[in-house]
Amino acid sequence: MKLPSPAKLNLFLHITAQREDGYHNLQTVFQFIDLCDQLDFTLTNDSEIRLAPEIPDLPCEQNLIYKAARLLQPYRHTATSGIQITLEKQLPMGGGIGGGSSNAATTLLALNTLWNCQLNLEELAKIGLTLGADVPVFVMGFAAFAEGVGEELLPVEPDTPYYLLIKPNCHVSTAQIFTDKYLTRDTPPIKISHALTLDGHNDCLEVVKKHNPEVKEAFSWLQQHGNAKLTGTGACLFMAFPSRVEAERLKRMVPGKWQAWVCKGCNRSPAHKALDQWIEHNRGV
């Protein structure tokens, strides 16, 4: 089985409170984009979990893909319990687009089928939450208005424009952003009915720019051309366009020191679409 592992954007990110456990309550709208990693899953005749290629400075046992597979092993109902997982990496790390969380969710979705674990999406999302707050939205597979730490999800249908996505040459530390004393933590909550009509902001933007001059520079450049936004805790920035032609036109102007992509907003995860097609193709085989 080969499945895409899509990125996400936070169309806005409001931090409404800091909790006693140190985490933050937030409100956001998650939307998928068609920029994806690819994960290939091959059943093996032993009980080992193998992951390739190795990612520099990230031991296999600490990779969220490996952790997700380990969490599903107790639920398997197949004689063949080993798995070889090959990752084709396209999504930049440390960009705030959820690459690691998406990889974990795609692994849960794939192995739930291949190992016949018989878990529903809600059960998979609960398992995924132990790996990270962004994993459940990738497991559920729909664009969502999110609250709590990002795990309370309600389906929404935002517009699906084309986006220009820019990644400055830096890696933003989420922990550094959320522990900064100047981070806004008291944005008034909004109702879901307002979530798609407000031009929401990202409460992390100013702190990210303070700690990361590359993001500040890229944001200033992009802001000259329209409504620039930061996704998650960064470093990726994005801007919406009504057509691919307009997005591609600006992409050609992006300074060469930054990575840039043109992608399409998706309100259903490409991973779910591909999984449904695989199941339909293999039904009765």
Side-chain angles (χ1 to χ4, degrees):
M1 179 189 292
K2 187 171 186 175
L3 296 180
S5 180
K8 59 82 178 169
L9 297 178
N10 296 90
L11 302 189
F12 66 85
L13 179 57
H14 298 170
I15 301 172
T16 58
Q18 184 166 12
R19 301 165 13 154
E20 291 184 2
D21 61 8
Y23 288 93
H24 292 78
N25 286 331
L26 56 85
Q27 291 184 316
T28 189
V29 166
F30 288 115
Q31 186 178 49
F32 307 106
I33 51 177
D34 62 2
L35 182 67
C36 305
D37 290 338
Q38 298 288 330
L39 284 165
D40 193 285
F41 302 87
T42 303
L43 291 169
T44 61
N45 292 322
D46 53 30
S47 60
E48 297 298 313
I49 298 169
R50 299 182 180 88
L51 177 59
E54 292 185 6
I55 297 178
D57 301 320
L58 183 64
C60 179
E61 292 77 11
Q62 295 179 21
N63 191 302
L64 290 180
I65 297 171
Y66 181 88
K67 289 182 176 181
R70 287 277 296 177
L71 288 173
L72 274 200
Q73 275 189 319
Y75 299 93
R76 63 189 185 270
H77 290 88
T78 55
T80 305
S81 59
I83 197 75
Q84 170 70 47
I85 306 172
T86 303
L87 170 65
E88 298 175 23
K89 196 69 182 164
Q90 167 80 359
L91 306 179
M93 298 176 69
I97 55 176
S101 295
S102 179
N103 291 169
T106 295
T107 301
L108 293 173
L109 292 168
L111 295 185
N112 187 49
T113 298
L114 291 173
W115 282 346
N116 192 26
C117 296
Q118 302 172 20
L119 298 171
N120 61 38
L121 289 181
E122 289 76 14
E123 291 168 325
L124 282 180
K126 190 173 181 179
I127 292 171
L129 183 59
T130 67
L131 297 170
D134 284 351
V135 178
V137 71
F138 289 106
V139 170
M140 299 305 295
F142 52 76
F145 175 68
E147 297 185 285
V149 297
E151 86 289 5
E152 300 173 19
L153 304 170
L154 290 170
V156 291
E157 290 284 335
D159 294 337
T160 55
Y162 290 91
Y163 293 106
L164 173 62
L165 183 71
I166 293 178
K167 168 66 165 57
N169 189 24
C170 63
H171 184 118
V172 174
S173 166
T174 298
Q176 183 184 49
I177 303 307
F178 276 117
T179 55
D180 191 288
K181 65 179 181 180
Y182 293 108
L183 179 68
T184 298
R185 296 178 171 89
D186 58 357
T187 295
I190 62 173
K191 296 182 182 298
I192 186 173
S193 57
H194 298 153
L196 299 181
T197 58
L198 291 177
D199 184 22
H201 60 278
N202 186 329
D203 281 329
C204 298
L205 175 61
E206 293 306 317
V207 175
V208 170
K209 288 196 297 182
K210 181 182 71 172
H211 289 291
N212 301 273
E214 299 93 338
V215 175
K216 182 178 181 180
E217 181 187 0
F219 183 84
S220 296
W221 181 89
L222 191 58
Q223 188 72 8
Q224 296 176 35
H225 301 278
N227 186 15
K229 293 191 173 184
L230 177 81
T231 181
T233 56
C236 283
L237 306 164
F238 67 96
M239 184 180 290
F241 293 85
S243 72
R244 180 177 290 276
V245 171
E246 292 172 82
E248 292 282 2
R249 185 180 298 126
L250 186 56
K251 178 177 180 286
R252 290 193 290 271
M253 299 168 59
V254 174
K257 60 185 176 181
W258 303 325
Q259 292 177 277
W261 303 264
V262 170
C263 44
K264 183 81 164 65
C266 310
N267 290 337
R268 185 159 185 259
S269 168
H272 282 252
K273 289 183 179 180
L275 180 61
D276 288 349
Q277 291 170 357
W278 187 92
I279 292 172
E280 182 64 27
H281 179 75
N282 289 276
R283 184 170 288 157
V285 175

